[in-house]
C-alpha cells in the first residue's frame, strides 16, 4: 500500500493529540459515507482507505499503547462495515456520532 499521507507518516501525525488524530480519521470516514450514499463506490473506497491509513498511523503511535485494544477494534469494525457483511450492525449515524465527539474535543482543545 502506498502512503497517501506521506508527510503525516513521516512523523507529523505523532504531533497531533488523539482527539485530533481521530477527528481527521473521522473526516475521511464521513467522506466515505457521503460518497457511498451518493452511489460512488470508487470515491467511497478511496476515502475509507485514507481513513484506515490514518487509523494505522494512530495505532502505530507509541503514545497510544494503552488504547491499542480500542483502536484495533475500531479498525476491525470499520473494515467490517465498509468491506464485509456489517456483522457489528454499524450505521452511518453511529459512525458520525462516534467521530463527531472527537471533532468536538479537537476543536475545543482537549
Amino acid at each position: 500500500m502506498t502512503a497517501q499521507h506521506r508527510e503525516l507518516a513521516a512523523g507529523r501525525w505523532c504531533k497531533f493529540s488523539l482527539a485530533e488524530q481521530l477527528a481527521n480519521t473521522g473526516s475521511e470516514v464521513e467522506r466515505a459515507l457521503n460518497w457511498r450514499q451518493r452511489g460512488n463506490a470508487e470515491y467511497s473506497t478511496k476515502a475509507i482507505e485514507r481513513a484506515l491509513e490514518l487509523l494505522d498511523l494512530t495505532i502505530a503511535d507509541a503514545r497510544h499503547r494503552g488504547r491499542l485494544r480500542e483502536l484495533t477494534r475500531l479498525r476491525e469494525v470499520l473494515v467490517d462495515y465498509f468491506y464485509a457483511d456489517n456483522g457489528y450492525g454499524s450505521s452511518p449515524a453511529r459512525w458520525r456520532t462516534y467521530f463527531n465527539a472527537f471533532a468536538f474535543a479537537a476543536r475545543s482543545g482537549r
Side-chain angles (χ1 to χ4, degrees):
M1 180 200 290
T2 305
Q4 296 184 40
H5 300 95
R6 288 189 182 95
E7 183 182 338
L8 295 175
R12 187 170 159 239
W13 189 250
C14 293
K15 294 179 182 174
F16 294 154
S17 69
L18 178 62
E20 291 170 323
Q21 290 176 346
L22 290 176
N24 282 294
T25 302
S27 293
E28 293 296 348
V29 171
E30 180 70 31
R31 285 186 189 95
L33 292 170
N34 288 338
W35 284 118
R36 179 185 257 199
Q37 186 178 7
R38 292 179 183 175
N40 191 328
E42 179 187 352
Y43 281 17
S44 178
T45 299
K46 287 181 179 180
I48 198 59
E49 286 175 355
R50 290 190 301 270
L52 291 173
E53 181 182 350
L54 292 176
L55 187 55
D56 288 343
L57 291 173
T58 301
I59 290 168
D61 189 334
R63 295 175 300 161
H64 308 313
R65 290 287 171 226
R67 297 181 170 102
L68 207 51
R69 189 176 192 167
E70 178 183 353
L71 293 170
T72 54
R73 179 57 60 102
L74 170 60
R75 191 183 199 293
E76 177 183 339
V77 178
L78 271 174
V79 169
D80 174 65
Y81 180 75
F82 283 97
Y83 294 109
D85 60 357
N86 193 22
Y88 292 102
S90 302
S91 68
R94 285 184 178 179
W95 286 120
R96 287 181 176 109
T97 299
Y98 181 81
F99 283 111
N100 282 345
F102 293 106
F104 180 77
R107 270 187 248 135
S108 63
R110 292 187 203 172

